[in-house]
Amino acid sequence: MNVVHISAECYPVAKVGGLADVVGALPKYQHSATFSSQVIMPFYNNTFTKANTFNTVYKSQLDLGDISYAFKILTLKEPLLGFDIFFVDVPELLFKEYIYSNDDTERFLAFQIAALDWMLTWNTYPDYIHCHDHHTGLIPFMLQESFKYEPFRNTPNILTIHNAQYQGWFSHKKVNLIPAFNFNNAGLLDWDGSVNPLAAAIKCAWRVTTVSPSYMEELKIAANGLENLLNHESAKCSGILNGIDWNVWNPETDNYLISNYTTKTVVSGKEANKKHLCNAFNLDFNKPLFAFIGRLVGEKGSDLFPEVFNGILKKGDAAILLLGSGHDETEIQLERLKEAHKGSYNAFIGYDESLSHLIYAGADFLLMPSRVEPCGLNQMYALRYGTIPIVRSIGGLKDTVIDISEKNGFGISHKEVTVSDITNAIDRGVSLYKNENIYRKLSVQIMGINHSWDASAKEYIKLYKSIKLEKA
């Protein structure tokens, strides 16, 4: 059996969020003697593509309305990722230094058309086509409705929603960009007066998954306008919890760390990494170190950080380190805190992969007060590195972190995204840290929680096979 994943992102090629991590790990874990998995993604002008060499495996033209574009399909000369990956090169549209922009309708529609046009030339069609988020959301519609893709009518296709807040809306005036289809079924494209690729995919895909069971249930209540649709299509919807790449995120072998460690050496290992961070960012090593890694946007609750951090730091019993970027005003306010709280607070505005690994290893607690969190991977990385997550109980955070007040609990959770709730959760962390025996015991315990892709990959394969059985 063979599955083709089609995605706008894939780690380490191109990453904006968790979508990249999923598509960069799931195919590796799906490989077996009887199952193969590959990825098709855009060819961007970025660090990865500049650092590697590629072979051209296919050349052709695609039509986007009245405009014709030359495109190529490329593959890596040297296999690096543990699975086959192919790149759609449409120079005028996709070969950019950015992944997302204001002209994404044309860019990602061209990507989807080129991918399907190439797949039509294969000697053997894939057994499954797995689409990820709205950037590939028109594929299920085109497979079902576009005349040229009729050979794929019986190929099961699956949509995974990584974040329903982004849906790819565009005007009906651009419908002519989609390869010819029966206009009697044009209503499949519409949702609330616009062409909505994510909604179209939900309607047309054979199966719809999200990246955690709780997030699927939450979407039926709050999905940025798609609630009724997801309730209507609920029979084909399910949530499968994401995993993490157990080999990449491994404190015993992680090359980014100052000191590697296992459950037996976690105390000395984390101390060495924490000392390095504290020296680098002028922080007090003796205080519990709370960290945040991620985008500074409303979804992550980061707009409340300036007030929360200022209040916590005035108490004098905690240190805070932040790594992220996003809304300009939030960045400015967080930078201003540096002067007022020297020795207890610092922030790196931007993103640095090596620093993120060091923070997971050196921090004592990881903050995730998210308003929306479809799955969340950061809390899984934190657990792997013995760092206790402090999370808002929602989506995948709810599915992966049990509060210490409950039986077998190991993290700290709060119900609302408010200054008082987040502050109280951090205060609980400070108290926990002072109880050294319990804190150390939890740090060892959480390193043994297995959130690798093994179980999740098997769930996806089980889902694929269930489709085949139904159609048999």
Side-chain angles (χ1 to χ4, degrees):
M1 292 185 181
N2 172 256
V3 60
V4 174
H5 294 273
I6 307 180
S7 172
E9 299 178 40
C10 177
Y11 179 83
V13 181
K15 174 178 175 175
V16 172
L19 167 63
D21 295 292
V22 173
V23 179
L26 178 56
K28 284 193 284 189
Y29 284 81
Q30 286 182 329
H31 266 304
S32 68
T34 59
F35 200 96
S36 66
S37 187
Q38 53 195 297
V39 171
I40 302 175
M41 68 171 295
F43 190 65
Y44 302 113
N45 181 17
N46 62 14
T47 303
F48 183 92
T49 57
K50 291 175 182 175
N52 291 282
T53 54
F54 302 83
N55 289 321
T56 299
V57 298
Y58 183 75
K59 292 181 180 180
S60 189
Q61 300 277 133
L62 69 88
D63 294 323
L64 202 60
D66 297 330
I67 303 176
S68 184
Y69 294 93
F71 76 91
K72 294 183 291 185
I73 303 296
L74 310 176
T75 190
L76 286 163
K77 281 189 176 181
E78 298 294 332
L80 301 172
L81 306 182
F83 55 88
D84 291 331
I85 185 166
F86 298 94
F87 301 87
V88 174
D89 182 18
V90 187
E92 297 99 316
L93 297 175
L94 296 175
F95 193 65
K96 310 291 184 182
E97 295 179 355
Y98 50 81
I99 296 178
Y100 306 122
S101 72
N102 294 325
D103 60 347
D104 283 351
T105 296
E106 287 78 7
R107 295 176 67 237
F108 289 111
L109 188 48
F111 162 59
Q112 294 170 85
I113 293 169
L116 293 182
D117 284 358
W118 174 51
M119 289 166 60
L120 279 175
T121 69
W122 293 8
N123 292 326
T124 303
Y125 294 147
D127 292 291
Y128 311 94
I129 297 173
H130 194 147
C131 305
H132 295 268
D133 269 350
H134 75 82
H135 324 96
T136 60
L138 290 174
I139 287 176
F141 173 82
M142 292 190 289
L143 296 179
Q144 178 178 305
E145 301 295 336
S146 290
F147 304 126
K148 69 188 293 188
Y149 302 127
E150 189 171 352
F152 293 129
R153 290 286 189 272
N154 294 319
T155 302
N157 60 83
I158 299 92
L159 166 73
T160 293
I161 302 172
H162 296 261
N163 192 333
Q165 296 300 303
Y166 306 101
Q167 300 171 14
W169 312 267
F170 62 90
S171 168
H172 281 282
K173 294 178 181 178
K174 294 186 177 183
V175 166
N176 67 306
L177 300 179
I178 300 172
F181 62 92
N182 183 353
F183 264 73
N184 290 328
N185 295 328
L188 291 169
L189 295 168
D190 180 82
W191 193 256
D192 198 24
S194 297
V195 174
N196 185 317
L198 189 63
I202 294 168
K203 295 174 187 178
C204 298
W206 293 32
R207 289 288 188 279
V208 177
T209 70
T210 58
V211 290
S212 71
S214 288
Y215 186 55
M216 177 58 80
E217 294 308 306
E218 291 165 5
L219 286 180
K220 295 173 184 177
I221 301 170
N224 201 9
L226 298 181
E227 300 83 6
N228 290 339
L229 177 59
L230 285 161
N231 277 286
H232 182 265
E233 300 287 356
S234 62
K236 66 179 182 183
C237 297
S238 61
I240 298 176
L241 189 68
N242 280 343
I244 62 174
D245 193 322
W246 211 239
N247 296 316
V248 171
W249 296 95
N250 183 355
E252 187 174 359
T253 59
D254 192 333
N255 291 327
Y256 289 127
L257 304 191
I258 297 301
S259 176
N260 295 109
Y261 56 93
T262 66
T263 53
K264 293 181 179 179
T265 58
V266 60
V267 174
S268 60
K270 285 188 70 66
E271 281 185 354
N273 289 289
K274 181 178 178 180
K275 282 180 180 177
H276 178 83
L277 283 174
C278 290
N279 288 335
F281 290 95
N282 187 32
L283 299 172
D284 187 342
F285 171 81
N286 295 309
K287 295 177 180 179
L289 179 57
F290 295 81
F292 172 83
I293 301 172
R295 291 178 296 132
L296 301 177
V297 294
E299 286 182 15
K300 303 299 182 182
S302 62
D303 53 303
L304 302 182
F305 282 169
E307 185 175 352
V308 170
F309 290 175
N310 192 50
I312 288 291
L313 293 166
K314 283 181 177 179
K315 298 176 185 178
D317 53 7
I320 297 172
L321 177 60
L322 178 142
L323 168 62
S325 62
H327 289 164
D328 293 342
E329 183 58 31
T330 302
E331 289 183 3
I332 291 169
Q333 292 182 51
L334 289 169
E335 285 279 25
R336 286 175 182 163
L337 287 179
K338 291 181 180 180
E339 188 65 28
H341 301 288
K342 288 180 179 179
S344 294
Y345 170 79
N346 215 325
F348 183 102
I349 301 301
Y351 184 72
D352 183 295
E353 185 71 19
S354 61
L355 179 56
S356 73
H357 285 244
L358 266 172
I359 292 174
Y360 287 119
D364 299 302
F365 299 90
L366 183 79
L367 302 173
M368 294 185 72
S370 304
R371 291 187 174 91
V372 178
E373 197 64 69
C375 175
L377 297 174
N378 290 14
Q379 80 277 16
M380 298 184 195
Y381 300 147
L383 294 170
R384 178 75 160 135
Y385 285 68
T387 299
I388 295 173
I390 299 179
V391 305
R392 193 264 179 111
S393 185
I394 192 170
L397 301 176
K398 183 178 180 180
D399 292 336
T400 54
V401 177
I402 303 172
D403 191 87
I404 54 175
S405 65
E406 300 180 30
K407 183 179 180 181
N408 299 320
F410 50 82
I412 295 173
S413 62
H414 55 94
K415 291 185 178 180
E416 303 298 333
V417 185
T418 62
V419 170
S420 60
D421 266 32
I422 300 170
T423 299
N424 181 59
I426 295 174
D427 285 340
R428 292 179 65 201
V430 171
S431 298
L432 173 61
Y433 186 79
K434 290 176 180 178
N435 194 328
E436 188 173 347
N437 289 337
I438 294 178
Y439 173 81
R440 297 302 181 196
K441 182 180 178 181
L442 286 176
S443 190
V444 172
Q445 175 190 334
I446 60 180
M447 287 182 68
I449 299 173
N450 190 337
H451 281 299
S452 81
W453 266 108
D454 285 323
S456 303
K458 289 175 183 176
E459 283 297 308
Y460 276 109
I461 292 174
K462 183 179 177 181
L463 175 71
Y464 302 150
K465 291 181 177 179
S466 73
I467 301 172
K468 285 288 189 185
L469 288 172
E470 286 181 11
K471 299 298 179 180

